[in-house]
Amino acid sequence: GGANGPWDGFVTASTQAAEGFRDHSFGQATRISGNVGYQFSPDFETRFYLNANEVRQRIPGSVTKTSALTTPEAAAPINVLADWQRNIDTVRIANKSTIRLDNTIIDFGAFGVDRHLMHPIFQWLDYRYKDYGGFAKVTDERIIGGFRNRFVAGFNILNGTIDAQQFVNIGGFKGAPTSSLLQKPENYSAYAENSFYVVPSVAFIAGTQYL
């Protein structure tokens, strides 16, 4: 991490691997995340974010009580035969910006996520998620008639697609297709809230939200 004039940034990365106590329980994960910000002026700044993950994990599954007590390292036979796994690749990018006016702060931003689930279990699940959205929020604090007043309003959008493909699992490899679904969820919300302080420690609050 570091800062230079109006710029600042930070990045971190990690990787880990495990053999696992039980058979068919090994895995590894690599992750990186970071952000970089720029301050155009004391009242206007923006920041970009990046996060990426790669996870590879075998699944040993559940076994009978007898198996767990006599051969605790053993995996469920079907999990080994069909090579059950849970693998995920994810990339997320986002931005948040802030503008400060006399009594008002405006925050706004957007994000996008690309995630791929590769999941051979009872079937070979191949799911691709593409999520995107944004937000805006206004916070206004001022004195009205000698009383402190705080007003907050904003909206959020979270949309995306889920391309869900399923196949016969043949030893950890894709077989014939069994299911194909394309889902398109959409989520919108808007809200507003006003706090009027009749005394410094007591406020009347009114709010509304639409989903």
Side-chain angles (χ1 to χ4, degrees):
N4 183 20
W7 293 94
D8 72 89
F10 178 82
V11 64
T12 181
S14 67
T15 185
Q16 64 184 49
E19 289 296 327
F21 171 74
R22 298 176 62 196
D23 299 334
H24 202 72
S25 64
F26 60 93
Q28 63 185 43
T30 301
R31 298 178 172 88
I32 183 171
S33 61
N35 66 82
V36 58
Y38 184 79
Q39 190 175 52
F40 295 93
S41 73
D43 296 320
F44 180 30
E45 62 187 47
T46 190
R47 186 169 302 276
F48 291 90
Y49 302 85
L50 170 67
N51 177 270
N53 305 277
E54 181 187 79
V55 178
R56 298 291 181 269
Q57 180 67 54
R58 293 304 196 274
I59 303 173
S62 57
V63 297
T64 64
K65 180 180 178 180
T66 300
S67 175
L69 294 175
T70 57
T71 55
E73 296 183 11
I78 184 61
N79 287 46
V80 178
L81 182 65
D83 196 13
W84 283 31
Q85 307 170 41
R86 184 173 183 267
N87 308 315
I88 302 175
D89 292 335
T90 306
V91 176
R92 182 182 188 273
I93 57 173
N95 170 264
K96 179 185 177 184
S97 298
T98 299
I99 298 174
R100 300 178 183 88
L101 305 176
D102 289 340
N103 299 294
T104 306
I105 297 176
I106 303 172
D107 296 308
F108 58 93
F111 74 92
V113 180
D114 189 332
R115 182 158 61 101
H116 187 195
L117 172 67
M118 298 152 282
H119 199 14
I121 45 175
F122 73 99
Q123 292 185 359
W124 213 110
L125 310 186
D126 189 349
Y127 291 1
R128 293 181 179 270
Y129 306 80
K130 295 185 183 299
D131 297 326
Y132 62 92
F135 78 96
K137 178 182 178 182
V138 175
T139 304
D140 182 89
E141 291 203 45
R142 64 183 63 225
I143 302 299
I144 298 178
F147 297 92
R148 177 189 170 202
N149 190 81
R150 185 175 188 267
F151 175 76
V152 179
F155 69 87
N156 299 289
I157 299 174
L158 172 56
N159 293 342
T161 60
I162 305 171
D163 186 1
Q165 307 291 323
Q166 295 185 195
F167 305 83
V168 175
N169 182 7
I170 304 175
F173 295 93
K174 289 181 181 177
T178 61
S179 175
S180 177
L181 294 172
L182 183 62
Q183 303 168 338
K184 295 184 177 181
E186 297 182 6
N187 301 274
Y188 304 92
S189 64
Y191 59 91
E193 179 181 278
N194 195 82
S195 303
F196 185 77
Y197 288 81
V198 291
V199 295
S201 59
V202 178
F204 286 125
I205 299 174
T208 186
Q209 185 181 55
Y210 170 79
L211 303 173

